[in-house]
Amino acid sequence: MTTWLGLDAGHEDAAKADAIAVSLYETLLFHAQVVCVHAVGDHHALSFRLTDEPSENTVSTLIERGYGVAVHNGSLQRLAGPEELARGALRAALAHRHRREGRALRFPGQRALRGRYGVSDIIAFSAIEEVLPHGIKSVDARGDLQPFFANGRLVLRAG
């Protein structure tokens, strides 16, 4: 069962939120399929798409680190931590679940995208569903691609 985990610690700096999201993915939430950062009001929150619910130990660790936590798997399972941050965490989890908004820092197929690729290959072999601007033929994927959710699709803006 897919579960979305939203986390909010009130990060005002987008680059710091990105670094923390990747660090959490590499250490505590390594089984996440998609990792996103979301603008929530005047700060940034994180979300993770998981194949199962995070363990009680994982949730406790995140709360101890000062995060507001939202666990959502189609229906709200849990809100924890400081109330304002828990609300931000829920906004991030729902934006990810409904694919409305959020920059994807980690996504399926990302590791294979190194070098220059045709748009059709990017769409065929990764979670990216659309490349903008339309009509572009290839993308230099040497850098760190950060597609974003818009209108239910994972979209990459090239160039």
Side-chain angles (χ1 to χ4, degrees):
M1 175 187 304
T2 302
T3 298
W4 291 267
L5 173 66
L7 301 176
D8 191 351
H11 300 295
E12 293 180 5
D13 180 74
K16 183 174 182 175
D18 289 2
I20 289 170
V22 170
S23 175
L24 284 169
Y25 169 73
E26 291 173 346
T27 57
L28 192 62
L29 300 166
F30 49 85
H31 57 290
Q33 295 173 315
V34 180
V35 178
C36 289
V37 173
H38 307 265
V40 177
D42 60 352
H43 67 281
H44 299 85
L46 320 174
S47 69
F48 301 81
R49 189 179 86 202
L50 310 171
T51 53
D52 51 16
E53 291 192 26
S55 70
E56 189 58 40
N57 187 41
T58 298
V59 173
S60 295
T61 298
L62 292 164
I63 293 167
E64 288 168 12
R65 292 182 185 179
Y67 287 97
V69 176
V71 179
H72 196 286
N73 67 4
S75 62
L76 181 61
Q77 296 300 300
R78 180 169 184 188
L79 278 180
E83 184 179 346
E84 185 64 31
L85 295 177
R87 281 200 303 268
L90 180 59
R91 283 178 58 190
L94 290 173
H96 190 159
R97 177 177 187 255
H98 296 294
R99 302 165 60 93
R100 286 191 308 254
E101 179 275 329
R103 281 182 303 110
L105 304 179
R106 295 293 179 266
F107 55 91
Q110 178 181 31
R111 288 182 188 206
L113 296 175
R114 299 281 183 251
R116 191 154 199 86
Y117 286 90
V119 168
S120 59
D121 289 337
I122 290 172
I123 291 170
F125 299 112
S126 78
I128 295 170
E129 299 166 286
E130 183 177 0
V131 177
L132 298 175
H134 292 131
I136 192 169
K137 298 293 183 217
S138 66
V139 174
D140 182 354
R142 283 180 294 183
D144 191 20
L145 298 180
Q146 292 187 2
F148 57 94
F149 284 118
N151 301 316
R153 297 170 63 85
L154 189 59
V155 178
L156 176 65
R157 187 175 312 283

